[in-house]
Amino acid sequence: MGTSVPDHILTNKDLETLLDTSDEWISTRTGIKQRRVYPRGKDRPAWELGSQAARKALEKAKLTPDLIDGVICATFTPDYFFPSTACKIADSVGIRDAFAFDISAACAGFVYGLAIAHAMIGNGRYRRILLVGAEVISKTLNWQDRSTAILFGDGAGAVIVDAAPDNSQGLLSSWLSSDGALGDILQFPAWGDNRRMTMKGSEVFKHAVRMMSEATVRVVREAGYTLEDVDLLIPHQANMRILNSIADNLSFPTRKVISNLVNYGNTSSASIPLALEHAWETGRIVPGALVAFTSLGGGLAVGSALVRF
Ligand code: ACO
């Protein structure tokens, strides 16, 4: 795995100078203290961040680009409808003769990508897939809207999904679902003047807790385990109160819930790989660890996965 974030740190204190808000309000309502963003007017494309993360992943895995059979990128901040961000990443990293496509599942994109990569490898046609979540959200935000501007950060994370030697390891179960009837509570139009993300915060909160909890229970049960067997839960890093409410709902110990949103905010499809790398580098993932991932994004799209490391 590999990650990349912009150098620039935007703190809650900095936001106090831009918006009618306070460090205290943001910290207590979200758990976020700072986020990485490109300074205004100096943004870079999401594929560039994604490529940086991908190069690091390849380096750590000691793999050369020719060994990658395909690239999947989850993003809601592509620079183009086409070429896809995945095609741009493949080209930048030097991956040739490989499929490349983007998926649109907002903050659930990484888990959707994991399930897709697993299925493509599982049917025997492909061996190694580069999965990237890459977002430059800062350039899409309305910096006058305090309800959304405080939540998000930019970042990218990449993993290489490889065929496991046997079925006891790797992705044990996954579950993807959606509820399009709730599409209007979190949306970002593709066309029109003054396009901006809009969000009904408390509605999103409520459904995020419910749907991510249900999805977690489902993947754990379908793999033949109970929540007590799960060593770590790595949820989409939306908001500390959402994470705590999921733990509460599941009677799952909060010490086993990975969170790094205090430093990065919500980075959408990049949030799980960023949290995964944080867990890995802090020694929280040991060989044999059973790790559940759960995510929810605009759509609403929901996805969970259970992985044996
Ligand atoms: N600073 C100060 N005050 C604020 C701010 C802010 N940044 N934003 C809103 N307020 C005010 C509101 O105007 C309101 O004031 P009022 O009582 O005078 O009307 C008050 O604070 C309470 O507003 P609510 O919207 O009810 O606050 P809430 O407790 O619901 O918290 C929040 C808002 C943090 C957005 C919460 O609803 C939330 O986390 N929702 C989930 C949203 C989310 O995570 N979205 C990310 C995308 S989806 C995903 O990743 C799953």
Side-chain angles (χ1 to χ4, degrees), residues 20-22 25-26 29-30 107 146-147 150-152 186 199 201-202 204-205 208 212 236 238-239 241-242 266 296:
D20 179 14
T21 191
S22 67
W25 194 96
I26 302 171
R29 301 280 175 137
T30 71
C107 305
R146 64 181 182 174
S147 66
I150 58 154
L151 295 173
F152 296 94
L186 183 59
M199 178 182 79
S202 57
V204 172
F205 193 107
M212 283 198 271
H236 163 53
N239 176 320
R241 283 162 58 223
I242 292 183
N266 180 344
L296 175 126

Side-chain angles (χ1 to χ4, degrees), residues 26-32 151 205 209 235-247 254 257-262:
I26 302 171
S27 303
T28 52
R29 301 280 175 137
T30 71
I32 300 164
L151 295 173
F205 193 107
V209 172
H236 163 53
Q237 307 286 302
N239 176 320
M240 204 58 220
R241 283 162 58 223
I242 292 183
L243 270 50
N244 288 339
S245 302
I246 293 171
T254 47
V257 180
I258 296 295
S259 168
N260 64 348
L261 58 75
V262 62

Side-chain angles (χ1 to χ4, degrees), residues 205-239:
F205 193 107
K206 187 175 71 187
H207 293 294
V209 172
R210 175 181 60 80
M211 292 168 78
M212 283 198 271
S213 302
E214 285 170 5
T216 307
V217 169
R218 195 156 179 147
V219 284
V220 171
R221 198 178 50 216
E222 283 181 4
Y225 291 98
T226 67
L227 284 166
E228 284 78 51
D229 298 318
V230 175
D231 296 305
L232 286 182
L233 175 63
I234 306 186
H236 163 53
Q237 307 286 302
N239 176 320

Side-chain angles (χ1 to χ4, degrees), residues 249-271:
N249 241 358
L250 301 177
S251 303
F252 191 78
T254 47
R255 71 186 151 78
K256 296 209 275 181
V257 180
I258 296 295
S259 168
N260 64 348
L261 58 75
V262 62
N263 290 324
Y264 297 106
N266 180 344
T267 55
S268 192
S269 67
S271 93

